[in-house]
Structures are given as C-alpha cells and as structure tokens.
C-alpha cells in the first residue's frame, strides 16, 4: 500500500509541486527584504514521510533585534496612515491570498500534513480575516464623554498600541498569522512574526505576498527560528522594549512562561491557549446531526486544532444508537493517507512526538478500563505518523485522556446519567475554550450553553470558526478575543483628551 502511494504521489510530495516558484522562500523577511542564507539552518520535514522539504535559515539573535528596531522605526509613519489606506492593504492581501490559494494550500499540506481540501479551506479562512479587518479598520470609532464640569469636554479615541510580536503554532500555518495580523494592520500596528519551527514555509510564502502587494517595509517581518532557539527568542520577544504587545497561540504551558516574561515590561498580551472541549449529546438530540457535528469537531485536521472535541458526554439512553452511527459514518466516509492525495480525508499527525502522545493516551485509557470501538492502532502501514481514527468508550476521570488535550484523532466517550452530570463534568477542568451541545430543544441548548464554562459554544453544529466569531477562551485557555468586532481592540489603546473650554 505504502509503495503504491509513494510511486503515485512521490512527485507531489516535494516543493516541486508549487507552481509559483517565488513563493518558495527559506530565509527571514525583515524590512521588506529576504535576508541571505545564514550559517544556521534548520530542516522542515513533510509529516507524511519525514522527507526533507527545505532547509530554512534560522534568524540570528542580532537579526531578531534588527527586526524589532526596524518594526519600531516603521511604526510612527504606519500608525499615521489613514484607516482607508490600511483597509486597502488588507483588501489587497485578501485578494492575493485567494489568487495564490492552490500553491498556499499545497505548502500547508506539505509541511503540516492536513488534506488538500482542508488546506484550501484554511487559505480561504485565512484570507477572510483580511477581508473582515479591511471592513473593521474604518470603523475604529471613539467617544465624546460628558464631563463632570460644564467647562470641559472629554474625547476618548483608539490608537494603535505599537509594534507587536506575533507567535504562532503549526496547526494553522497561515490562518493563525492572518487572524492576528489582520487586526494589527487594521489598527495601525507594525509586527514581527515568529512562525512555528515545523511550518515556516507557508509563513515565508506569505512574506513574499506582502512584498508583492506592497505592504510598506517593516510593517510585516517574519523571523523563523530553529527549535533549539525558540525559548531564547520567545524571551527576546517578551523582554523587548520595542514591542508593546505579544499575541500568542499555543499551549497553556508556554503561555504561562510568556506571561511571566512579559511582566518585565508590563506588556499587553493576548493568549489563545489549549482547551479540553466538552461535547454534550442530549437524549433528545438529532443523532445524525450530532454524529456529523462530532466528526467535524473531533476529527478535522486529525484532531489537531485547539477547538477539537476532547470529551464526549452522551446521555445513557442514546449511547448505543449514537456510537453505532458514529462507527458506521467514520468507516464509510473517511480515508486516512497522505494529504496531497485528493481522495484522502484525514492526514498524518504532525510528528512522531505527537503520535507517541496519542498512543500513550489510548494505552493508558485502555489499561484503566476503556474499550476501543474503532481503530486504536498506529498505522505503520501508512507511515510513521499515522494513527487510526479511533473511538474509545467507557472513558472516565481516572484516565489521562480525560484531562489532557489529545491533539489527535481519538474520540473519548463518557456515558452520563443526565445532563446535569454532563455539565458538571464538562466544567470540572482548568481550561475552557470551545464547547458543543446537541439537542432539538433550543431552550435547553441555550441554558446548557450558558452554564458551560467556555469561551465559545456550538449549538447543534461542530464547526464554529469564522472571521465574525469572537474567538477565545476562559480560565487557563487564555484571554483576549480574535476576529469579530472585538479583535481589533486587542491592538489598540484608548487615549483620552480633556479639553478645557
Ligand atoms: P504546540 O504543542 O502546539 O507546538 P507550543 O505552545 O509548544 O504548542 O508551541 C506554539 C508556538 O510557541 C510555536 O511557535 C513554538 O515554537 C512556540 N514556543 C514554544 N515554546 C516557546 C517559548 N518558551 N517561548 C516562546 N515561544 C515558544
């Protein structure tokens, strides 16, 4: 099987499949220029077969400092540009991403592993933040506030916070950049972006697009760094005097480190951290809708998104029906394999470490009494990082899988006596990003959604993300909202002016 895949797909598994060669970039982008190849390089692998895609230059400590200085130098002029002109840059970026959608999707699949259709979806999702914030830029209004004194007037208006640092993960190599950068540009901020070490190629292709579109030099800087320097560079970002804000998407563990480091400069933060998403299926749910919702919310990107379902609470009366339809649909409508194969619905995990974690979580659950209803195997026949789409039944609070963000294609089912039990279990965690509830009774859905201690709830849907959604969590899932009418606030400060009459 592997041999057949390899022969047919070999030519599509390299950067040769990218049509627009100028999008293949492998060095840091600072002040509108791609630096030359440096001494320190790091490899970027294809998660499907661990083959080398490219060697990328790791930005040196001095060049990181140069990027900070450069973005700070660019800030005064950019912050004074009109909202209309920034809206026009954003609109052009939206159009350019869409016109390069096929190549960008291939790059995402090559370095992240997700199926091409998902990558194409990501490019459109990524572009939509530029479209959205092109519209928001011109509506950054302020207030005239009545003063206590008849001889004074108070004006409060919003100014860009300053140059910002953007740290992004590998699971959405493009969209996690644009969701932050769209708001930053709309507000008038300049930026230095560090993409994840696993996925710098999409980010650098985006840098080329910024250049082509004419984004002013210094407004967007992209600084890839090797894994062994990530901690040092993260500290540089947090402790920099030039950057006024850090926006981070990643694990809660790293979020805490960054928060502590940012304390040295009282830096504003947005944190989009891990979740442990509950998915509640009430006995009066439309079972088919709930199963479809679960397949979307659990298995998309092979379970490697922060809003992916982690714990499925099913009322006992419908457990058997729900589970048998889930098995049936997964068997019928999914196919595991290399993301570049258009017939594949689910790709590999990002790397061997991720696979090891998923394997451990399943083994731990099984050793404590969980039952595998589907899958449960490391698919070595497909490659080193493939894991079956898996259903675990009889999951309980003793198991590590219940408490840890799985980040893999394993659905863990917890049977509950009633909805009150489901809600109390759902909320019994330190994190709260997304949650889902399925019932035909909308009053019930609304009241459950109010009781769920999460930042976002999907009612009778497993797909919640879009540019209009205020995206973000509560508790240790972080703070700040991305996208929506709130996203731009994260990149502004309110300036108050009191005028004596
Ligand atoms: P994940 O498990 O999804 O990789 P991480 O939180 O480890 O989540 O990584 C998310 C992003 O944070 C990546 O770009 C990674 O390089 C970066 N990162 C990891 N550790 C640090 C750190 N100590 N300081 C700054 N950035 C970090």
């Amino acid at each position: 099987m592997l041999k057949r895949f390899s022969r047919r797909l070999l030519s599509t598994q390299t950067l040769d499949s990218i049509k627009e060669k100028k999008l293949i970039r492998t060095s840091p982008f600072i002040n509108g220029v791609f630096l030359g190849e440096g001494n320190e390089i790091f490899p970027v692998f294809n998660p499907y077969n661990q083959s080398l895609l490219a060697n990328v230059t790791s930005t040196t400590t001095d060049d990181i400092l140069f990027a900070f200085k450069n973005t700070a130098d660019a800030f005064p002029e950019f912050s004074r540009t009109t909202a209309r002109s920034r809206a026009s840059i954003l609109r052009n970026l939206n159009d350019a991403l869409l016109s390069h959608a096929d190549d960008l999707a291939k790059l995402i699949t090559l370095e992240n592993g997700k199926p091409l259709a998902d990558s194409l979806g990501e490019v459109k999702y990524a572009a939509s933040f530029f479209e959205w914030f092109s519209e928001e830029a011109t509506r950054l209004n302020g207030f005239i506030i009545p003063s206590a004194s008849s001889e004074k007037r108070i004006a409060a208006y919003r100014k860009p916070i300053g140059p910002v640092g953007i740290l992004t993960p590998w699971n959405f190599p493009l969209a996690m950049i644009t969701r932050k950068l769209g708001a930053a540009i709309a507000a008038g901020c300049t930026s230095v972006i560090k993409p994840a070490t696993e996925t710098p190629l999409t980010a650098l292709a985006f840098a080329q697009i910024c250049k082509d579109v004419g984004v002013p030099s210094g407004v967007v800087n992209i600084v890839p760094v090797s894994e062994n320097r990530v901690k040092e560079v993260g500290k540089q970002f947090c402790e920099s005097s030039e950057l006024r804000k850090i926006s981070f998407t990643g694990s809660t563990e790293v979020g805490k480190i960054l928060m502590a480091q940012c304390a040295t400069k009282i830096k504003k933060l947005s944190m989009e951290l891990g979740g442990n998403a509950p998915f509640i299926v009430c006995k009066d749910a439309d079972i088919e809708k709930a199963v479809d919702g679960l397949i979307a919310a659990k298995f998309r990107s092979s379970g490697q998104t922060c809003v992916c379902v982690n714990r499925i609470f099913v009322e006992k009366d419908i457990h058997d029906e729900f589970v048998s339809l889930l098995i049936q649909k997964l068997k019928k409508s999914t196919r595991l394999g290399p993301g570049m194969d258009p017939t594949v619905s689910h790709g590999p995990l990002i790397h061997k470490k991720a696979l090891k974690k998923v394997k451990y979580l399943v083994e731990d659950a099984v050793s404590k009494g969980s039952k595998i209803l589907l899958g449960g195997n490391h698919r070595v026949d497909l490659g080193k990082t493939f894991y079956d789409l898996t259903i675990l039944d009889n999951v309980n609070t003793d198991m590590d899988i219940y408490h840890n963000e799985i980040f893999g294609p394993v659905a863990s089912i917890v049977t509950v006596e009633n909805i009150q039990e489901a809600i109390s279990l759902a909320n019994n965690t330190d994190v709260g990003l997304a949650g889902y509830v399925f019932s035909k009774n909308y009053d019930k859905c609304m009241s459950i959604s109010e009781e769920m201690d999460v930042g976002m709830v999907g009612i009778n849907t497993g797909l919640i993300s879009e540019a209009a959604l205020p995206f973000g969590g509560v508790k240790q899932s972080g703070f700040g909202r991305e996208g929506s009418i709130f996203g731009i606030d994260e990149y502004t400060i309110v300036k108050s002016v009191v005028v004596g009459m």
Side-chain angles (χ1 to χ4, degrees):
M1 191 64 156
L2 180 59
K3 284 218 173 85
R4 195 154 57 86
F5 269 141
S6 301
R7 264 202 304 277
R8 187 159 48 86
L9 290 165
L10 206 60
S11 60
T12 66
Q13 291 297 342
T14 67
L15 295 179
D16 288 348
S17 60
I18 306 302
K19 285 210 182 89
E20 194 76 71
K21 299 299 175 206
K22 70 175 176 182
L23 294 180
I24 303 171
R25 287 291 184 174
T26 54
S27 63
F29 179 71
I30 301 177
N31 198 22
V33 173
F34 286 97
L35 304 188
E37 297 250 315
N39 293 333
E40 194 200 331
I41 53 170
F42 65 93
V44 181
F45 297 112
N46 183 331
Y48 155 57
N49 57 8
Q50 292 71 51
S51 61
L52 178 71
L53 288 172
N55 282 312
V56 169
T57 298
S58 182
T59 317
T60 63
T61 305
D62 283 351
D63 283 339
I64 298 271
L65 295 176
F66 174 57
F68 293 162
K69 178 178 179 317
N70 176 264
T71 209
D73 288 349
F75 176 72
E77 192 178 333
F78 191 62
S79 67
R80 283 194 293 269
T81 54
T82 63
R84 284 253 166 243
S85 73
R86 296 196 301 276
S88 158
I89 291 172
L90 288 164
R91 168 59 65 173
N92 292 340
L93 282 172
N94 166 71
D95 296 348
L97 287 195
L98 294 178
S99 73
H100 291 295
D102 285 343
D103 275 341
L104 289 169
K106 282 182 193 157
L107 272 175
I108 293 173
T109 293
L110 284 171
E111 62 179 356
N112 165 287
K114 67 176 81 172
L116 265 182
D118 285 2
S119 296
L120 203 52
E122 178 178 343
V123 177
K124 290 179 186 161
Y125 178 54
S128 75
F129 288 102
F130 288 143
E131 182 187 40
W132 176 269
F133 284 111
S134 75
E135 292 150 359
E136 286 298 296
T138 54
R139 287 167 183 76
L140 201 56
N141 303 322
F143 290 98
I144 301 294
I145 301 165
S147 161
S149 159
S150 60
E151 277 143 33
K152 287 181 189 158
R153 301 287 181 270
I154 300 171
Y157 61 99
R158 292 193 282 172
K159 306 249 304 164
I161 187 162
V164 299
I166 292 179
L167 303 168
T168 55
W170 49 261
N171 61 346
F172 289 90
L174 189 60
M176 289 306 99
I177 291 178
T178 65
R179 191 158 80 180
K180 298 171 191 301
L181 183 65
I185 290 180
C189 297
T190 56
S191 63
V192 181
I193 302 167
K194 187 196 80 59
T197 307
E198 293 86 348
T199 56
L201 298 173
T202 311
L204 292 171
F206 171 65
Q208 177 64 45
I209 289 171
C210 289
K211 203 169 154 70
D212 292 349
V213 159
V215 176
S217 298
V219 171
V220 176
N221 299 279
I222 301 195
V223 292
V225 294
S226 58
E227 192 59 43
N228 61 336
R229 291 200 30 251
V230 162
K231 281 191 187 150
E232 167 208 327
V233 171
K235 193 157 182 284
Q236 265 190 298
F237 268 66
C238 294
E239 295 182 353
S240 128
S241 298
E242 286 99 345
L243 302 183
R244 293 307 316 140
K245 178 204 163 75
I246 298 286
S247 178
F248 172 70
T249 295
S251 61
T252 298
E253 187 194 348
V254 172
K256 287 178 186 176
I257 296 171
L258 299 178
M259 259 184 102
Q261 289 172 349
C262 281
T264 59
K265 292 281 160 53
I266 314 289
K267 198 161 286 185
K268 182 166 165 144
L269 279 160
S270 304
M271 291 270 158
E272 201 267 273
L273 309 176
N276 185 1
F279 187 98
I280 299 178
V281 192
C282 305
K283 61 185 173 202
D284 56 1
D286 176 332
I287 305 281
E288 176 144 23
K289 205 180 227 185
V291 166
D292 290 341
L294 180 67
I295 292 175
K298 170 68 245 181
F299 293 103
R300 191 163 54 105
S301 295
S302 296
Q304 301 174 107
T305 86
C306 48
V307 293
C308 274
V309 172
N310 229 49
R311 297 165 298 155
I312 303 144
F313 300 105
V314 185
E315 275 196 284
K316 66 175 193 298
D317 315 44
I318 49 144
H319 169 274
D320 293 354
E321 191 186 346
F322 178 80
V323 161
S324 76
L325 189 60
L326 178 60
I327 295 173
Q328 192 188 317
K329 286 209 175 213
L330 280 176
K331 277 187 177 164
K332 203 168 139 203
S333 63
T334 61
R335 181 161 174 260
L336 208 55
M340 291 299 274
D341 179 340
T343 66
V344 154
S345 63
H346 292 81
L349 295 177
I350 184 77
H351 42 42
K352 289 185 210 156
K353 200 171 119 206
L355 186 117
K356 205 170 150 200
K357 178 181 167 192
V358 170
K359 231 176 130 189
Y360 162 74
L361 290 174
V362 172
E363 279 162 13
D364 174 74
V366 170
S367 75
K368 292 172 181 163
S370 173
K371 197 168 155 223
I372 296 174
L373 300 183
L374 185 73
N377 292 305
H378 174 190
R379 291 292 299 276
V380 274
D381 56 323
L382 296 176
K384 291 187 175 138
T385 49
F386 284 90
Y387 199 86
D388 270 330
L389 303 193
T390 297
I391 305 174
L392 284 185
D393 205 6
N394 297 337
V395 169
N396 63 46
T397 55
D398 295 338
M399 301 169 185
D400 285 352
I401 200 160
Y402 183 94
H403 303 281
N404 286 278
E405 195 174 23
I406 305 168
F407 245 62
V410 183
S412 47
I413 296 176
V414 182
T415 307
V416 290
E417 290 293 319
N418 53 49
I419 290 306
Q420 226 30 63
E421 184 191 0
I423 295 170
S424 104
L425 285 170
N427 288 343
N428 188 16
T429 169
D430 287 338
V431 289
L433 190 60
Y436 305 85
V437 55
F438 282 73
S439 160
K440 282 188 206 145
N441 180 335
Y442 275 83
D443 285 350
K444 193 198 254 184
C445 286
M446 284 309 292
S447 76
I448 294 173
S449 79
E450 288 195 9
E451 285 192 63
M452 285 170 105
D453 218 354
V454 294
M456 301 166 282
V457 180
I459 292 179
N460 292 326
T461 178
L463 291 174
I464 56 173
S465 298
E466 59 167 297
L469 174 82
F471 194 106
V474 297
K475 300 198 276 189
Q476 292 187 31
S477 289
F479 48 84
R481 291 295 177 265
E482 296 191 329
S484 80
I485 54 167
F486 302 109
I488 203 165
D489 293 343
E490 305 290 329
Y491 295 86
T492 63
I493 43 153
V494 173
K495 181 135 186 186
S496 303
V497 178
V498 181
V499 184
M501 309 290 287

